[in-house]
Structure formats: C-alpha cells, structure tokens
Amino acid sequence: MNVDLKNKIVVITGASKGIGRELARNFAYEGASVVINYFHSENEAIELFKEINNYNSNCLLAKADVTNYDDVLNMYHQVINKYSRVDILINNAGKCDDDLIYFMSEEKWNRIIDVNLTGTFLCCKVFTKIMARQNCGKIFNISSLKGQEGCSGQTNYSASKAGVIGFTKSLAKEVGQFNISVNAVCPGFIVTDLNRHNQKKVSIARNKSVLDLSSTLSDFINFMMMMCSDNIQGISGRVFTLDSRIL
C-alpha cells in the first residue's frame, strides 16, 4: 500500500528532540511540509531544520511555548501565512519530572500538567479553527501507557497523559462535524531524552515487554505515517497503544 504524504502540512510540537525529531525527519523525507516547533532546544531545532532542508526545502522552524496562548497563536499565524492551511497537528511536546507524591511540589505538578495537557489544549484550540474552515484535518495527541495504567512516582505525568486521553475523546465528539479526526497514540517504550538516563525505567520496560524493544521507534513512525495518509479516513476518538508491555 502506498503511503503518500506529499504536500501535507504537518505541525509537530516538541519536534527538536526525541520522537518528535524522528517524526519531523521522516515526514519531511516523504515530502510533507513540516512545521518544526521547539521552545528551549534552539540549537537542536536549527540543526534539524538544516538537515531536513537538504532534501525538503519547504519546511518551517517555529519557536513557541505551547503553554502560552500568545506563543501558540503566533505560531499559528506563521503557519497560515506560509501555507494557508494545516492538514495534520501532532501534539508531541511533553515533559516528565518524577517524584513521590510526598515530595512533589505544586510547581513540579503544575509544570508537567501545563506542558503535557494544557499545551495540547491550546494547540487544538487554535489549530482546529483553520481545520474547521477547511472541513478537514487530523489531530494526533501523544499520550502514554502511564496515562492508562498509572505509575508509582509519576502521578503528575500519569495524570497529564490520562487527561490527554479524555481530552482526545471529548474533542473528537466536538469537531467530528467538521470532518476533523482526533486520536491519541501511546507509543511503545522508546529511549529518548525523557528516560535515557534512567536505567531502572529501561530495565523495567524490557522485563514487561513480550517482544523486543528494538523496533518500537520504527513501529511508531510507520504507524503515524499510515494514519496521517489519505488511506485512513474514518477513525476518530480512539486510543492506539503501540506497545507489548502486557505483563
């Protein structure tokens, strides 16, 4: 089956690192016009933009704090001024800051909720407007297995990702009338900047997985490219868990 992403306008938040970076690389390689959103990691974002520009010169670098409405709105205007439309929004920007609840500060709680959940809300609030006018669009909110099963020491992260799932299901019901699909994706365990220095997490993930973890990133990328193509049209309000941690 051919997966054609040519000329798709794809906004990816938190695209300078981790799975967002790999999404940007692969979507751009397939001919999509990728909006590379970043906030703190400017050097990494510029490096990625230059790399992608070698094979796709129609991408955009957009600095914006997804927790700030004015920043998101400014990014939206940059995108519309350049492309006039948005086909796909991938809310990938995420953060974790673990602690037991006895030691977790309000600031640590609020920061994770703000980035993971409020950031998703603000981007959807802004970008669904153009999608509604177009009468088409796809939104993918990156959640986590932790949002379904919970995890000790990650009440803030788990709550934020559970919130993303509830938000996704509700938004799908709101915007379906405009031919906008909204789905949540929980990737398999992928070593990124969020977890690469925590060998305990890596070890637990390997022990709980019934399959080898080496293909989880490629599985995720391939799944996202298929879902973003025109081959898939009639799915919304779903939670896709791309994982084998079932023990």
Side-chain angles (χ1 to χ4, degrees):
M1 182 181 293
N2 181 45
V3 177
D4 186 3
L5 298 172
K6 288 183 177 64
N7 302 318
K8 296 288 187 185
I9 311 302
V10 184
V11 178
I12 305 174
T13 68
S16 62
K17 292 183 176 181
I19 62 176
R21 188 181 186 90
E22 294 306 312
L23 283 170
R25 277 180 173 143
N26 283 271
F27 274 66
Y29 187 78
E30 293 297 327
S33 297
V34 178
V35 178
I36 303 166
N37 163 254
Y38 71 97
F39 183 49
H40 293 296
S41 305
E42 185 167 24
N43 291 337
E44 291 87 346
I46 292 173
E47 177 188 343
L48 175 64
F49 181 73
K50 289 179 178 178
E51 173 192 328
I52 287 175
N53 199 56
N54 289 324
Y55 53 84
N56 186 332
S57 60
N58 199 36
C59 294
L60 175 68
L61 200 57
K63 182 177 183 178
D65 176 1
V66 297
T67 71
N68 182 292
Y69 176 75
D70 289 336
D71 267 23
V72 175
L73 192 60
N74 181 59
M75 175 171 63
Y76 169 81
H77 288 310
Q78 289 182 60
V79 175
I80 298 306
N81 287 339
K82 183 174 178 64
Y83 302 113
S84 301
R85 74 177 200 278
V86 175
D87 299 306
I88 299 153
L89 169 65
I90 301 176
N91 286 303
N92 167 74
K95 189 176 182 66
C96 68
D97 194 356
D98 302 347
D99 214 338
L100 295 174
I101 195 167
Y102 319 108
F103 308 114
M104 186 176 293
S105 65
E106 277 189 77
E107 192 275 333
K108 184 177 287 191
W109 169 271
N110 289 333
R111 184 169 64 248
I112 301 308
I113 298 295
D114 282 350
V115 174
N116 297 355
L117 183 55
T118 304
T120 298
F121 156 69
L122 289 176
C123 289
C124 287
K125 176 182 174 68
V126 169
F127 282 96
T128 50
K129 293 177 182 178
I130 184 64
M131 290 182 173
R133 290 201 294 271
Q134 297 167 175
N135 198 42
C136 66
K138 292 184 177 184
I139 297 172
F140 296 93
N141 298 323
I142 305 303
S143 184
S144 170
L145 188 65
K146 306 295 179 60
Q148 300 177 61
E149 298 185 355
C151 184
S152 175
Q154 287 191 304
T155 52
N156 52 358
Y157 183 79
S158 298
S160 71
K161 292 301 187 178
V164 166
I165 290 173
F167 174 83
T168 296
K169 293 180 177 182
S170 298
L171 184 61
K173 294 180 177 181
E174 283 189 26
V175 300
Q177 62 183 312
F178 303 112
N179 197 34
I180 303 170
S181 66
V182 190
N183 291 290
V185 182
C186 303
F189 187 84
I190 300 169
V191 177
T192 68
D193 291 329
L194 290 182
N195 57 41
R196 74 173 70 254
H197 301 299
N198 191 325
Q199 290 304 309
K200 182 179 179 182
K201 282 187 181 180
V202 176
S203 177
I204 290 172
R206 284 178 176 151
N207 289 336
K208 286 187 174 182
S209 297
V210 298
L211 297 174
D212 184 9
L213 293 176
S214 61
S215 68
T216 51
L217 178 57
S218 60
D219 287 344
F220 171 68
I221 297 296
N222 291 335
F223 175 83
M224 291 298 294
M225 288 196 294
M226 176 60 73
M227 290 294 293
C228 289
S229 75
D230 291 336
N231 295 322
I232 306 293
Q233 293 292 345
I235 300 173
S236 192
R238 301 298 94 193
V239 180
F240 296 95
T241 304
L242 315 180
D243 208 305
S244 70
R245 285 174 288 174
I246 59 176
L247 299 179

